Structure formats: C-alpha cells, structure tokens
Amino acid sequence: PAKLPKVDGAGPLDTARGLVECAKRATVYAIQAAAQTFMQSLSDQQEILARLADMVIACYAMDSSVTRAMQAETDDARRATLHREMANLFAHEAYEGVLREANWVIESMAEGDALAGMKSLLKALPERPVLNVVKAHRAIAAVCIETNGYPLA
C-alpha cells in the first residue's frame, strides 16, 4: 500500500494538505468498496450515492480552500494569515465529516469479519491533529467584525 500522507507537518498548511490527501483516500476507498459491493445495482443505492457525493464535494472544497490559501501566500500577503486560518479550520472540520461518511458507507455494505476488514483500512488513516477550534473561529470572526463583513471579498 502507498505511504499515507503526514498530517502534522511543520509548514503553515502542511497539516491541512495532509488532511485533504487523507480525505481523498477515504473517499476513493469508499467509492471503490461501493462499486465492488453493489456493481450494477449501485445506482439503486441512493443513500450510499448521496453520502459518496457529499464526500466528493467535501474533498473538493477542502482542496480548493487549501489551494487558495497557498496562492494567497504569494499573491496577497496581507490576507495570507486569514486564508491559512480558514483553510486549516475547514480542513480539520471537513476531514471529520468525510471519515464519518466513509464509515457510514462501509457499515451499510458489510457485516462481521468483512466489515472489520473494510474498516481496518479506514482506521489506518491518521487521526486529525488537535486544533483549538474555538480560538480559530474567534480569530476569523474578529477579522470579519473588524472589516465589517467578509474580509476576503
């Protein structure tokens, strides 16, 4: 198996980038598992398809926020810190959601030993590092209040 991305890098966006890559892996794994389990009848599994779609959307949004934050590092130094804080916060919160949805999908497809085997691959993904989300939310809110609106518009 391929080496898992690190989610505890030293750079300002390394953790968020690692979380994005891990979320993508969980999403691809859940999609592959659903396709292999249901094959032609996957289109009849609307609840599972909805969860998979939510996972894909979350991965896209995570990747987009981190990419924008990386661009801000060179294009807009004044707003770079805010971009970083927002991308890190979103990546942390969205990663939990992707893992929750992946577990839901896997638990909907298997039981017993098969379920344990499928979940072991998800358990191999790193846990989300600790982030003081209250502090992050307050820092972002303070900038919004200071600018009297959305500061990145």
Side-chain angles (χ1 to χ4, degrees), residues 13 17 63-81 83-84 87:
L13 288 167
R17 288 172 44 185
D63 191 56
S64 178
S65 69
V66 171
T67 300
R68 286 175 182 252
M70 290 169 58
Q71 288 173 334
E73 296 290 331
T74 57
D75 297 347
D76 192 356
R78 186 175 58 84
R79 296 181 179 173
T81 300
H83 273 281
R84 244 189 337 269

Side-chain angles (χ1 to χ4, degrees), residues 10-11 14-15 26 35 45 48 58-59 61 73-74 82 84 88 90 92 94 107 113 122-123 125 135 145-146 148:
D14 287 350
T15 297
Q45 307 300 321
I48 290 174
C59 287
E73 296 290 331
T74 57
L82 181 60
R84 244 189 337 269
N88 279 316
F90 182 68
H92 275 76
E107 291 167 0
D113 290 342
L122 288 177
K123 287 180 182 177
L125 291 170
K135 181 179 175 183
I145 291 167
E146 180 183 306
N148 199 26

Side-chain angles (χ1 to χ4, degrees), residues 126-144:
E127 288 188 28
R128 172 183 62 80
V130 174
L131 175 72
N132 185 335
V133 294
V134 171
K135 181 179 175 183
H137 277 281
R138 287 179 180 172
I140 294 165
V143 175
C144 292

